[in-house]
Amino acid sequence: MTRKSQDANGSTIRDVAARAGVSASTVSRVLGGEYPVSTATRTRVLRAVRELDYVADARAKAVAGVGTPTLAFVLEDITGPSFALMAHGVEREATRLGHLCLVCSTEGDVQRELDFIETMRAQRTAAVILVGGTADTPEYRTRTRRIADSLAAAGSRLVLCGRPPLGPGAPVTVIEYDNEGGAYALVAHVLAQGHQRVLFLGGKPDHATAQGRERGYLAAHRARGLEPDPELLLHGDFTRDSGHRLMRQALSRKLEFTAVVAATDMVAAGALTALHEAGLSVPGDVSLAGYDDIPFARDLYPALTTVHVPYEELGRLAVRTALGRTPESPDEHLLLGTHVVVRNSITTV
Amino acid sequence: MTRKSQDANGSTIRDVAARAGVSASTVSRVLGGEYPVSTATRTRVLRAVRELDYVADARAKAVAGVGTPTLAFVLEDITGPSFALMAHGVEREATRLGHLCLVCSTEGDVQRELDFIETMRAQRTAAVILVGGTADTPEYRTRTRRIADSLAAAGSRLVLCGRPPLGPGAPVTVIEYDNEGGAYALVAHVLAQGHQRVLFLGGKPDHATAQGRERGYLAAHRARGLEPDPELLLHGDFTRDSGHRLMRQALSRKLEFTAVVAATDMVAAGALTALHEAGLSVPGDVSLAGYDDIPFARDLYPALTTVHVPYEELGRLAVRTALGRTPESPDEHLLLGTHVVVRNSITTV
DNA sequence: TACGGGCCGGAAACCGGTTGCCCAACGCCC
DNA sequence: GGGCGTTGGGCAACCGGTTTCCGGCCCGTA
């Protein structure tokens, strides 16, 4: 059987050509180009296209150099509200710019991340957007640098969102949000309400984002001449369960504090529930703040005071800067600002 | 300039062949196949591959019939927690089965949905998973039927998640969750606590999912010999803001009710905040229930009683059934069960 | 009537891979 | 030493498109 319409695959341009009684080139020209085609021919071709319900194979077009460009978004887990927000921004901007959007969840597995990136290089994606914090180790830098070079050599571009930059010269676009500054402002706000002992529910100790927020926490204290009690610095991860667990620990250890600052809103949500379970009132008995300003923050009770991070805008920005450039462009580093949004979860002491 | 490595694109298989002093076919065989190649040649080829950092173009492989298969996930907005959960399931299962995953946000725009599907047909995706409710009109059925046929003719498969089925004979896989049954069980639970007047914060009147849940609400009443007051049936959409607005309306209209059932947890979240803003206590003054069991439901205060829908499992199932079939397979219809999860937002009256 | 130019359409090369087919070289056995 | 089977590798066709190049036709004009 030699390429009859018997098989389950769609019809080819040659099928259309045969049916319209023209050559494949003509069909291509009718469908694609500026090339002059007589009205009669055009009509016949279009009818054949309609009758066969023909759509040109995008992969073949891509090989020929005229395909729909694609871009990849690699993240840990789309389920996290802030990641979802970013994904939304990425996806919107990508389709606005005529790109398709591949998404890959690494589930936090470095090897899987590497595999995805290699696959994306094979797919010849216009850009690979990598999001989600990691440890900023030398090993991370060389590994990521190598990836960036590979992609650049293939005409693609690596974008790092909320990840540590790689140092000068790497063909990479880095977009960060100001973790330290945001945390500083937030904690300063808490301290300004008169709180002296504020519990910090942090992330993984080596996680760059977590570190930034922790630095802000410390800096805000020192700016007021306070030295925070190391006992009040707890480490976990950025999940709701981590917040819940840490809060219970703090309570059972009978740590003294009048306010809690969580490294993310998810952590804050878990902590809030733990506080409620312990019969404590927020902010009556203890004040609470989060970080990220995920949509749900305002529906917690009390509505959560937090730091707004423009995640969706971040996603849009990532694709815009990634696509509006040549592969040889120099490295680029954007730092997005954040601001505190005051709600009802903090009170004066 | 004729295909030198000067250009920004990666190296081709011919570049590798030239550097290794063999033909392109040999490179292909070393990289790909079972074909016997001498150790010496293999070594030379692999070295060339490494030195050039070569990765075969996945699009070209696809044209040749050996590409990485891809699957498309078309939804309204990845930002909704239940959609994100499904997306996660889809993505996980897709990569587990060696597929790439394209996601497209329609923003609720029917035309854009159509465009995406056409694009996916051109991409020759193995399956197109369409999620998110719509009105079940004749126009919807014929339009979707046409899409299903197109995809089937191209060897692909349409999967409808949480969408009305198309009637017999359509080459489509439909996976629904039991909206009516879940709502019935939930409302029955509410009524069993002694509530007589329960406010229903519904979705769009013509939205199939919303209708199902509303039917469950009505049926549960009638099963107890109650005829619900039509005044207590409010319509909006599935967003948090809708819940907030509707709740404020109900309050300002001084409707009488002792319990509120929201069509989704998002709606419930907005309603909860509106109740709090009005100084009402939940469940002290009024009981509240949601639907979907999104992760945040248990961190609301009080923790929300709701109906669990296995969204992530749904996503996994969608890709599993879509990929494990031939295009000629008959239509298929799965109905996933749900169950009530009792938390603290409902009390006896 | 011959000629130049514009309009249209086909043949063929190309994109970057894979694979069927054929043949050379080699080792083995008789 | 000749016949034969096995191994290894190149050529060319193919996947499904696009685009360059070329030539035929029809027109107007000299």
Side-chain angles (χ1 to χ4, degrees), chain B residues 40 51 106 123 144 171 178 270 284 288 321 333:
Chain B
E51 289 170 354
T106 64
Q123 294 287 337
T144 310
D178 187 1
L288 176 66
T321 65
H333 192 159

Side-chain angles (χ1 to χ4, degrees), chain A residues 34-73:
Chain A
E34 321 300 283
Y35 204 86
V37 176
S38 75
T39 314
T41 314
R42 150 164 289 123
T43 311
R44 286 215 315 288
V45 169
L46 289 180
R47 178 146 50 86
V49 164
R50 211 175 327 114
E51 287 169 355
L52 293 176
D53 200 15
Y54 168 77
V55 191
D57 187 321
R59 293 115 25 121
K61 297 184 79 147
V63 171
V66 292
T68 309
T70 301
L71 130 190
F73 186 57

